[in-house]
Amino acid sequence: MAEVQLSGVRKRFGLVEALRGIDLAIPDSAYVCLLGPSGCGKTTLLRCVAGLETVDAGQIRIGSQNVEALEPFARNVGLAFQNYALYPHLDVRGNLSFPLRAPRRRTEFGDGEIEQRVKSIATLLQIDALLDKPIVALSGGQKQRVALGRALVRNPTVLLLDEPVTHLDARLRHEMRVELKLLQRRVGTTTIHVTHDQLEAQALGDLIVVMRDGLIEQVGTPDELCTRPATSFVASFVGDPPMSLLTARLGQEAGVLSLRVGAAQLRPGERLGRLLDGLCDQDVEIAVPAHHIALGHAGDEQTIAARVQAHEWVGRELQIVVALNGSPVPVRLRTQQRLALRIGDEIAIRLNLGSAHAFDSKTGRRLQSSAD
Amino acid sequence: MTVGLVRSKDLKAGVRRSAAAWPIGTLRYLVAAIFTGFCLFPFYVIVTTALKTETAIFAWPPVWNFKPTLQSFYNALFVFGGRSAIFYLINSVIISAVSTFVAVVLGAMAAYGFARFSFAGKRHLAFWILSTRFAPPVAFIVPIYLMVQKAGMLDSHIALILIYTAMNLSLVIWILRGFFSEIPIEIEEAALVDGYSRLQIFWRVALPLVRPGIVSTAILSAIFSWNEFLYAMVLTQSKAATLPVYLAGFSNSMGLAWGEYMAVGTMAVLPILIFTFALQKHLVRGLTFGAVK
Amino acid sequence: MEASRTDYFSLGEPKPDSMKLAVERRRATWLLIAPAFVVLLGLNLFPIVYALYISCHYWMLARPQPPRFAGLSNYQELFFDARFRNSVLVSLKFIVLAVGIEMLLGFGLAFVFNTRLRGMATLRKLTLLPSLVMPLVVGLVWFYMFNENFGIVNWFWVVLGGTRVPFLTQGALALLSIVATDVWQWTPFVMLVFFAALQALPEYVYEAARIDGLSGSQIFFRVTLPLLRPAILIVLIIRAVDALRSLELVFMMTKGGPAGDTEVLPWYLYTTGFMSPDLGYAAAMAVLMLALVTILSQLFVRQLESREVTR
Amino acid sequence: MARIEFKGVSKTYPDGTRAIVDLDLVVEDGELLCLLGPSGCGKSSTIRVLAGLETFSDGMILADNNRIDHLPPQARDCAMIFENYALYPHLTAFENIAMPLRARRLPASEIKARVTKIAGILRMEHLMGRRPSRLSGGEKQRVGIGRALVREPAMFLMDEPLGHLEAYLRVELRAEIRKLQERLGITTIYVTHDQEEAAAIADRIVVMSAGRLQQVGSFLDLFDRPVNRFVAEFVGEPPMVFLPVERTNADSIAVKGVRIPISEPLRAALRATQDRELILGIRPNDFSLGPPVRDHLNGTVTLVQPQGDHAIVAVSTPAGPATAIVPSDRRPAPGATVGLTFAGERLHLFDSAARALNKGEGGG
């Protein structure tokens, strides 16, 4: 068990800069999720920690040791892959004992100890009944358990998980998530989990690292991401459904602030008004949580005309995706009303800006008042 | 009620399976059977001629019912010519086996290198190796003869072994390269993290996973070495001469001992008969360099 | 990100600290590739260069005088050598006839075998045999079967109402007999390649074609044939090169006779080099032949390369 | 446009496997119907039989009251979208889309016009010259959709069209499919194993299992009024929680001795059966968690998974594990002891044959 520290880590593949200077400190025993869209650099970062990629610049420390010049095996990390990457020519027992039988560790483990370790890890993961099965005979969930077992059997200092549940179907994915989290609680190994699914990251992560284009956007707990997103990107990426992002122009008429979104004028309210102080005649980005958007009546206050782009049932709620005039980004809201909508219908939505976030339209960073 | 419809497998062949399909099916059987018979008939001739007495061999019309005799085999093995066929047989086995082993070992290593490591000029190198498959022995025989002569290796096993190794390398490398790159790389990365070095991974993870490819390329290489004629003919005379050289020697005194020829021919064909069925799954992939699987 | 799949072995430019890693990777690469590379360098590339060198010399085997530089005169001589021209022509005839027949027969037969009818798989596996048999033995058995006095081919011919034919000793017939033998040996291979290609055609495409409303002949011409094109090219090139270099049948059956009617290029080269024996002249022929083969093999390589790219 | 009717359709494989068992189903003209079920439930076989790609053993299929099951696929006028795209690998995107028109031997100028129009609708004019090998998964499936669209068929059959795509693309493309379908009003049958996708896209959903139709209805019908335990468990995420109940009376039930209040219709249904081995089903949304109360169903929180506004809370109770969805601001801490209360009007009861007692009632 150890903390992991990265400073100034850079990695380039040809013309593509995959990592553009990553500084990150992962506390001992934490479950950390690297979250971001595909191409953001999260997998590269994980592979750099594992030693499967060399870094171009920067340092990686695991515990007190600098590891960036070490071969993967010398870093004592456990790695589970998205496609499991089990050895197809070995059975479950062979897969679990493979790391212990590496020639480099010949002196480290006796046959008895190997057997005993394999047994105990198999029991922990409830695959002890499968030990003599060939890999091809396993289901997806079982394969994932074996892969986890193989990663854990050596008691690694850091457990690295690359999209570990992505290949499973939805139901199994949820079950495996729960198991992963409970397992990590029990063994206490510092864990880095790469995912593109923000709900998965929120469900599992003590800390979430949101990445984009090779840089870290925000590091925070799930609650922090939802309540204090550092950038408009984080705001539009996190939540179920994610917040809706509006581009608005701040104006002032007779001392009253107003936000112009397309043809509509909205009053920012006191809190938001304070945040936006001094940005008159500038564009700002406003993020509104879905539960603060409701269906409204055309012409009412704080209401914007919108056109339906999609309507879908999510549980008992109807999720409606609408396009606003003059705003390229769709707005999502949910309602318990039973509506017969058609795509292209004109509706009106009412925005409650009471807990909206505002972002600088150039830097994308959240505007905060001193009170925040 | 069954609703009769076309199966797409049949449709590929442009032929429909319907109630009226049976004459087409029969026709297929007929054509296929005739063709197979055509393919097999010469084998029948080889074996039966080897088992016939001399009179039966020269009979007109050909004799279909005869009492088989092993006299020709006996002659070929123990009596005929200066040296027994066994001597040549052993040379053939040694040279094919060793050259195949070397080609597979070197080829597998190189194939793994090509599949898993990137380096400058890799593609060009790989395609140059591929093009050596087409090297016509007859065009190489003059320089190679002089090279072997200068090295003092005429009529030696080692010369043929080296040449056959080179001849089969492109096959081994290309086929195994395909097999290696079909292994998900994560499996090898997992082993790297698990504590194995790259060469250990090659040996303990990658090689076991391409075993079918190794087996089929080894068999194909062995067959090619076994069958090779021109290099053996030119580079060996007695000590290291292989079965084809022995057969070619016969043809100089042609027209005499058909039974014995065919007995040696049978011995030359027999190992291939045995291997063929082991091979059939990967044959096309092998012979077309993975272009057609 | 999600960089190319071989990246973990990649030899990019690492920061100095991880140089050690990169060095180990590079060493592993060369350890793996070098032995095969050296063998091919010595036994493929060097002989080509050496052949060029020899071809520019008067170089008689088994004569005491040392080789003498000859410039391009060996090539010049080839240009006016009627026997050489004849051998090229014979080779050409042989390739066009043999490969042509093999392609047509093999293509048709592949469709015959491409069915799930019971027993077809067994028949198909049996047809594998000819392509693996020692060519010398093939020549031997067909030499025997084509015999004028007791050959079984003649017997079939007579049964069908003909009179005995001297297959291997009469002008054009001799070449046709060798063509027939080659067809026997290689049609199954061509058939098997086409069969494998047919099997590899994705079934879903045919489902889509039926849903799209294509008729049987439209499916053949718009889907099957274009999808088989790569296989057709590949097998055509392989067969052409192999037919060009084949020597065993002529050696066994006709020795180039009668009157040079079956004197294919490899046979002329072989006799020049080892029976005359004029190595310089033979080497000049070898160089020309290599040039031809290189062109053909480049076509093959192109074909494979384009497939690698699109795969 | 067509109204499609399956009448007693069965498909049995030679080895005795029954892919479809006695299917009766009407697909209304212009609707988008989802066939939903786990793999091997017969949903794909159903549309392949309809398309004519597979034979069936019994029954008939009608389109607008005309039998079509004797027709070859070419004559059924259905367009299909395949999970693996099924594009012609040797043809460009343009030619792929043009293929159905070439089959009908339309003049070249018309083909060009129609394909260009489709490319415009799908916003992929710039991809028309590419072969499938140079298209991404999402682009390939757009071409597949284009090829289906270009013919203006009587029906669309979509066999897990988004199965091979990444999550975000699935969401994007399913909205697009729904949009096109609403615009064109063509009868569409859409096969999926993903209940979220079915919920998002369908007018009505057919749940299938082991070749049999389980239930037909809107997503809310399935969510709130499942007819059996299979549907109840298969639909809804996280899945419904099932707890064994005791029958304390003709019309009351208890979980581990704790009486559970139930609605009047459910009570009536309960009175109508003698069955004693009942299972209680509760949607995670229909729990509320409070402080533990004596003589109530209490449990220990094992795991809390935040999901933005709400959190999924796993609770271990004496009756078995339960999952609850609670608002984020009211979520308990792991290890806490909580009391569970149920929304009585939204409970489900299943008998020993896994049938819902309150079939077609109760719930939302």
Side-chain angles (χ1 to χ4, degrees):
Chain A
M1 265 160 272
E3 50 191 45
V4 178
Q5 279 195 325
L6 295 99
S7 49
V9 170
R10 289 173 173 276
K11 177 70 185 176
R12 169 193 285 278
F13 297 112
L15 292 174
V16 185
E17 255 195 300
L19 299 175
R20 303 194 287 153
I22 299 289
D23 296 302
L24 179 63
I26 295 171
D28 188 10
S29 298
Y31 197 118
V32 173
C33 287
L34 300 183
L35 172 67
S38 77
C40 72
K42 55 190 191 296
T43 299
T44 307
L45 190 60
L46 189 85
R47 292 166 62 85
C48 284
V49 174
L52 294 174
E53 306 283 358
T54 54
V55 297
D56 297 343
Q59 282 195 324
I60 302 173
R61 293 170 76 84
I62 296 178
S64 56
Q65 198 182 14
N66 263 356
V67 299
E68 70 271 8
L70 295 182
E71 278 282 15
F73 70 86
R75 304 187 182 195
N76 196 26
V77 294
L79 179 55
F81 293 85
Q82 184 173 2
N83 60 1
Y84 321 128
L86 298 174
Y87 307 115
H89 58 301
L90 303 175
D91 59 7
V92 171
R93 187 190 306 275
N95 269 277
L96 291 178
S97 60
F98 197 79
L100 303 176
R101 292 190 190 280
R104 289 193 173 89
R105 298 203 179 80
R106 196 170 297 141
T107 51
E108 230 173 288
F109 305 104
D111 276 355
E113 167 148 30
I114 290 178
E115 179 63 13
Q116 186 240 319
R117 278 211 192 203
V118 167
K119 273 261 165 60
S120 69
I121 198 83
T123 314
L124 183 68
L125 290 159
Q126 297 164 347
I127 46 174
D128 31 354
L130 305 174
L131 279 176
D132 294 314
K133 287 225 167 139
I135 295 303
V136 284
L138 303 184
S139 70
Q142 291 169 334
K143 281 184 189 161
Q144 188 53 65
R145 286 203 179 96
V146 177
L148 275 174
R150 189 180 60 183
L152 284 170
V153 72
R154 281 181 288 129
N155 291 337
T157 35
V158 183
L159 178 62
L160 306 172
L161 306 172
D162 185 6
E163 305 257 11
V165 296
T166 303
H167 276 356
L168 305 175
D169 69 40
R171 187 56 50 88
L172 202 54
R173 199 157 62 223
H174 289 280
E175 282 171 21
M176 277 305 290
R177 266 190 205 169
V178 173
E179 280 190 35
L180 259 181
K181 182 74 182 179
L182 293 176
L183 180 72
Q184 196 265 350
R185 282 273 156 76
R186 275 175 72 178
V187 298
T189 312
T190 311
T191 301
I192 307 179
H193 173 136
V194 162
T195 178
H196 65 271
D197 180 347
Q198 50 103 3
L199 290 178
E200 186 173 304
Q202 289 198 54
L204 292 172
D206 301 324
L207 271 182
I208 299 175
V209 178
V210 184
M211 292 182 66
R212 179 198 193 190
D213 293 341
L215 287 172
I216 291 177
E217 290 269 315
Q218 184 171 7
V219 181
T221 64
D223 285 341
E224 281 167 355
L225 297 190
C226 291
T227 54
R228 287 191 296 282
T231 65
S232 56
F233 172 77
V234 175
S236 67
F237 194 68
V238 177
D240 181 28
M243 294 182 212
S244 298
L245 213 55
L246 313 172
T247 305
R249 195 166 185 84
L250 191 67
Q252 197 167 24
E253 283 167 33
V256 182
L257 287 175
S258 75
L259 282 166
R260 205 169 71 236
V261 181
Q265 301 274 351
L266 301 175
R267 276 179 291 99
E270 197 188 332
R271 186 184 142 274
L272 200 56
R274 244 192 349 262
L275 288 175
L276 297 173
D277 197 24
L279 291 172
C280 248
D281 296 324
Q282 290 186 28
D283 281 340
V284 289
E285 284 184 295
I286 307 288
V288 191
H291 61 274
H292 286 174
I293 307 176
L295 293 169
H297 297 285
D300 282 2
E301 284 197 337
Q302 302 293 84
T303 297
I304 301 182
R307 189 176 292 276
V308 176
Q309 278 193 334
H311 50 86
E312 319 179 333
W313 288 103
V314 179
R316 287 197 193 96
E317 292 183 320
L318 185 63
Q319 172 166 303
I320 308 172
V321 183
V322 297
L324 304 184
N325 246 341
S327 178
V329 196
V331 168
R332 289 187 187 80
L333 65 142
R334 288 193 181 166
T335 173
Q336 299 259 7
Q337 290 182 45
R338 307 274 174 273
L339 294 171
L341 288 174
R342 287 181 66 83
I343 290 167
D345 283 355
E346 285 269 3
I347 59 170
I349 57 166
R350 201 179 67 236
L351 298 164
N352 174 356
L353 299 181
S355 59
H357 304 284
F359 302 89
D360 185 315
S361 68
K362 287 187 197 69
T363 64
R365 305 219 62 90
R366 192 162 68 98
L367 304 170
Q368 21 194 336
S369 68
S370 47
D372 267 345
Chain B
M1 166 197 64
T2 297
V3 186
L5 276 174
V6 192
R7 299 193 71 128
S8 43
K9 267 282 189 225
D10 297 329
L11 215 91
K12 278 184 186 176
V15 178
R16 299 191 167 195
R17 182 145 81 180
S18 61
W22 74 263
I24 292 172
T26 314
L27 207 63
R28 277 177 185 234
Y29 275 127
L30 202 67
V31 173
I34 290 173
F35 179 65
T36 314
F38 173 66
C39 288
L40 295 183
F41 184 68
F43 293 97
Y44 167 81
V45 172
I46 297 173
V47 177
T48 52
T49 311
L51 294 172
K52 281 179 182 174
T53 58
E54 198 163 322
T55 7
I57 289 169
F58 292 105
W60 180 272
V63 193
W64 300 98
N65 278 316
F66 61 92
K67 203 163 156 263
T69 161
L70 288 174
Q71 189 61 41
S72 297
F73 281 95
Y74 180 82
N75 288 345
L77 289 176
F78 306 112
V79 180
F80 206 68
R83 255 192 176 122
S84 151
I86 293 177
F87 173 80
Y88 298 93
L89 205 65
I90 291 172
N91 273 344
S92 268
V93 169
I94 292 174
I95 290 170
S96 308
V98 178
S99 71
T100 297
F101 179 78
V102 179
V104 168
V105 170
L106 299 191
M109 284 163 54
Y112 187 68
F114 277 115
R116 285 297 187 241
F117 293 86
S118 51
F119 51 89
K122 178 167 112 166
R123 270 167 52 84
H124 294 290
L125 193 56
F127 281 107
W128 168 60
I129 289 176
L130 174 64
S131 67
T132 66
R133 146 71 173 80
F134 292 104
V138 73
F140 281 77
I141 193 66
V142 170
I144 284 199
Y145 174 82
L146 289 174
M147 285 161 64
V148 172
Q149 187 197 39
K150 294 216 161 115
M153 293 201 294
L154 281 178
D155 204 13
S156 71
H157 292 83
I158 185 88
L160 277 193
I161 287 172
L162 271 173
I163 289 164
Y164 291 171
T165 300
M167 178 176 86
N168 285 324
L169 264 179
S170 67
L171 170 91
V172 179
I173 292 175
W174 265 75
I175 301 308
L176 290 185
R177 193 186 81 131
F179 274 94
F180 278 127
S181 33
E182 280 166 20
I183 304 175
I185 194 155
E186 288 85 356
I187 289 180
E188 291 166 47
E189 291 181 332
L192 204 62
V193 173
D194 283 346
Y196 291 76
S197 75
R198 285 180 180 74
L199 295 182
Q200 284 162 352
I201 292 169
F202 169 62
W203 187 247
R204 309 241 335 224
V205 180
L207 269 188
L209 291 181
V210 298
R211 193 175 299 149
I214 302 244
V215 170
S216 48
T217 46
I219 293 177
L220 267 183
S221 300
I223 290 177
F224 290 153
S225 304
W226 179 266
N227 286 349
E228 205 286 329
F229 159 64
L230 189 65
Y231 289 123
M233 176 74 184
V234 173
L235 299 177
T236 65
Q237 278 168 346
S238 53
K239 198 161 67 66
T242 55
L243 220 46
V245 181
Y246 187 56
L247 269 176
F250 275 164
S251 91
N252 291 334
S253 49
M254 126 192 153
L256 287 173
W258 281 109
E260 284 77 6
Y261 288 8
M262 295 299 182
V264 178
T266 306
M267 286 184 260
V269 169
L270 211 60
I272 288 156
L273 288 181
I274 294 163
F275 280 142
T276 301
F277 280 88
L279 241 189
Q280 42 98 10
K281 216 171 147 197
H282 294 289
L283 175 94
V284 167
R285 185 169 173 177
L287 290 179
T288 59
F289 282 64
V292 179
K293 278 180 193 166
Chain C
M1 191 196 64
E2 339 294 324
S4 91
R5 315 207 76 226
T6 52
D7 267 341
Y8 107 84
F9 291 115
S10 77
L11 301 174
E13 286 154 43
K15 69 172 253 184
D17 273 2
S18 24
M19 245 349 245
K20 229 173 57 196
L21 293 187
V23 168
E24 202 219 295
R25 281 164 207 199
R26 192 162 284 151
R27 216 184 51 203
T29 315
W30 286 111
L31 217 62
L32 288 168
I33 292 179
F37 183 67
V38 168
V39 170
L40 285 175
L41 210 60
L43 290 169
N44 184 271
L45 210 56
F46 179 73
I48 293 176
V49 178
Y50 197 30
L52 269 170
Y53 174 82
I54 299 167
S55 71
C56 299
H57 288 77
Y58 297 117
W59 199 317
M60 299 294 166
L61 199 60
R63 272 203 213 161
Q65 309 96 307
R68 193 158 49 80
F69 185 70
L72 293 177
S73 69
N74 279 326
Y75 292 94
Q76 231 163 11
E77 207 178 314
L78 267 182
F79 193 76
F80 296 107
D81 183 351
R83 221 178 131 187
F84 175 68
R85 241 175 293 149
N86 171 64
S87 73
V88 171
L89 203 66
V90 172
S91 268
L92 209 65
K93 276 192 221 161
F94 171 67
I95 294 170
V96 170
L97 279 173
V99 177
I101 296 172
E102 284 156 20
M103 294 290 289
L104 287 176
L105 270 181
F107 192 79
L109 283 164
F111 283 90
V112 172
F113 277 93
N114 188 31
T115 163
R116 282 187 220 158
L117 290 177
R118 190 177 306 221
M120 281 298 204
T122 316
L123 291 183
R124 197 185 70 236
K125 286 168 197 164
L126 286 171
T127 64
L128 210 73
L129 282 167
S131 13
L132 297 174
V133 167
M134 188 180 287
L136 219 54
V137 176
V138 175
L140 175 74
V141 66
W142 282 88
F143 183 41
Y144 176 67
M145 296 201 306
F146 274 127
N147 188 288
E148 186 181 354
N149 298 315
F150 48 85
I152 204 147
V153 180
N154 256 317
W155 180 78
F156 277 122
W157 185 242
V158 170
V159 167
L160 289 174
T163 51
R164 287 192 195 188
V165 182
F167 283 106
L168 297 174
T169 48
Q170 198 187 66
L173 262 184
L175 186 65
L176 285 180
S177 302
I178 293 179
V179 166
T181 308
D182 198 76
V183 165
W184 172 81
Q185 186 168 24
W186 290 109
T187 303
F189 164 71
V190 175
M191 185 277 279
L192 287 167
V193 173
F194 285 135
F195 174 82
L198 278 176
Q199 289 283 302
L201 293 184
E203 190 153 348
Y204 62 78
V205 171
Y206 289 86
E207 293 189 343
R210 292 161 68 198
I211 295 282
D212 284 349
L214 272 70
S215 68
S217 66
Q218 278 178 322
I219 288 180
F220 181 78
F221 286 106
R222 285 192 183 273
V223 181
T224 306
L225 207 54
L227 285 175
L228 286 180
R229 211 181 76 109
I232 294 173
L233 277 175
I234 280 163
V235 75
L236 184 68
I237 298 167
I238 290 183
R239 277 308 304 137
V241 177
D242 284 355
L244 174 62
R245 55 184 211 173
S246 141
L247 164 92
E248 286 90 343
L249 298 186
V250 172
F251 179 92
M252 262 327 211
M253 294 167 73
T254 63
K255 296 271 193 287
D261 282 336
T262 61
E263 188 170 78
V264 287
L265 180 57
W267 181 251
Y268 183 40
L269 202 168
Y270 172 72
T271 49
T272 311
F274 296 93
M275 295 188 184
S276 307
D278 186 346
L279 289 185
Y281 197 55
M285 249 184 271
V287 168
L288 289 184
M289 192 172 165
L290 272 172
L292 191 61
V293 169
T294 306
I295 294 170
L296 284 173
S297 70
Q298 281 314 303
L299 290 177
F300 181 82
V301 163
R302 286 279 157 72
Q303 187 60 34
L304 266 196
E305 258 183 322
S306 68
R307 304 198 86 199
E308 288 227 326
V309 171
T310 56
R311 192 173 285 160
Chain D
M1 312 303 120
R3 173 181 181 275
I4 298 152
E5 196 170 351
F6 291 85
K7 276 194 176 161
V9 171
S10 291
K11 177 176 173 64
T12 308
Y13 285 107
D15 65 358
T17 325
R18 304 179 78 184
I20 308 172
V21 185
D22 199 17
L23 178 70
D24 285 306
L25 177 66
V26 176
V27 189
E28 295 299 341
D29 187 6
E31 83 168 327
L32 197 164
L33 182 88
C34 264
L35 300 183
L36 174 67
S39 64
C41 73
K43 55 194 193 301
S44 273
S45 295
T46 304
I47 64 164
R48 290 172 60 83
V49 156
L50 172 58
L53 293 174
E54 277 179 29
T55 58
F56 56 100
S57 339
D58 220 338
M60 53 173 116
I61 302 176
L62 302 100
D64 292 333
N65 300 319
N66 302 315
R67 277 190 72 166
I68 56 165
D69 45 44
H70 60 285
L71 297 173
Q74 288 89 335
R76 296 194 188 189
D77 200 17
C78 48
M80 194 152 168
I81 299 175
F82 298 82
E83 181 175 15
N84 58 8
Y85 322 125
L87 300 183
Y88 304 103
H90 58 295
L91 299 178
T92 60
F94 182 96
E95 282 302 324
N96 263 286
I97 296 177
M99 198 59 126
L101 306 179
R102 299 225 185 273
R104 286 162 183 74
R105 301 181 199 285
L106 295 188
S109 57
E110 189 182 343
I111 291 178
K112 183 145 199 296
R114 279 171 71 171
V115 175
T116 312
K117 188 175 146 220
I118 294 293
I121 292 176
L122 293 167
R123 297 188 312 277
M124 43 188 282
E125 295 96 332
H126 58 294
L127 303 174
M128 284 295 102
R130 292 200 194 162
R131 296 218 179 149
S133 56
R134 289 189 53 227
L135 298 172
S136 71
E139 290 166 347
K140 279 185 201 158
Q141 199 51 292
R142 281 221 167 78
V143 175
I145 294 170
R147 181 173 65 181
L149 226 53
V150 77
R151 312 163 31 179
E152 294 159 14
M155 53 192 156
F156 279 135
L157 308 178
M158 308 194 184
D159 191 357
E160 305 246 8
L162 310 179
H164 282 343
L165 301 178
E166 277 188 59
Y168 77 97
L169 264 176
R170 280 208 295 272
V171 173
E172 191 179 298
L173 221 53
R174 80 186 180 208
E176 201 152 329
I177 289 177
R178 175 75 212 189
K179 191 162 111 191
L180 285 168
Q181 199 271 339
E182 278 189 12
R183 194 157 104 187
L184 301 169
I186 293 175
T187 313
T188 303
I189 304 184
Y190 187 108
V191 165
T192 180
H193 67 273
D194 180 350
Q195 52 112 3
E196 183 192 311
E197 193 168 294
I201 204 169
D203 292 318
R204 288 193 305 154
I205 298 172
V206 177
V207 180
M208 290 183 76
S209 169
R212 286 174 203 275
L213 184 150
Q214 305 290 320
Q215 188 171 2
V216 192
S218 72
F219 178 72
L220 283 181
D221 289 338
L222 305 178
F223 192 82
D224 282 332
R225 288 178 288 279
V227 297
N228 59 31
R229 214 180 133 171
F230 177 83
V231 175
E233 195 167 4
F234 195 77
V235 173
E237 191 59 54
M240 187 180 273
V241 174
F242 296 100
L243 300 172
V245 294
E246 305 106 47
R247 239 181 127 151
T248 50
N249 218 322
D251 59 359
S252 65
I253 53 166
V255 174
K256 287 280 161 199
V258 179
R259 200 163 163 274
I260 306 291
I262 52 177
S263 63
E264 179 48 42
L266 200 52
R267 233 183 327 229
L270 194 57
R271 275 195 293 268
T273 175
Q274 295 300 313
D275 210 324
R276 301 201 64 84
E277 286 170 41
L278 299 175
I279 300 282
L280 176 68
I282 317 116
R283 295 253 169 236
N285 319 52
D286 299 334
F287 278 109
S288 39
L289 301 181
V293 183
R294 228 147 65 88
D295 302 332
H296 253 67
L297 190 60
N298 296 333
T300 313
V301 175
T302 50
L303 188 67
V304 178
Q305 301 184 71
Q307 302 277 275
D309 291 356
H310 59 272
I312 304 171
V313 181
V315 185
S316 144
T317 75
T323 317
I325 292 182
V326 299
S328 255
D329 45 6
R330 265 182 277 153
R331 70 182 189 222
T337 308
V338 290
L340 290 85
T341 41
F342 311 87
E345 71 280 11
R346 283 197 162 151
L347 300 182
H348 305 266
L349 273 178
F350 301 95
D351 65 15
S352 50
R355 284 184 305 248
L357 290 189
N358 46 335
K359 202 179 290 183
E361 298 158 48

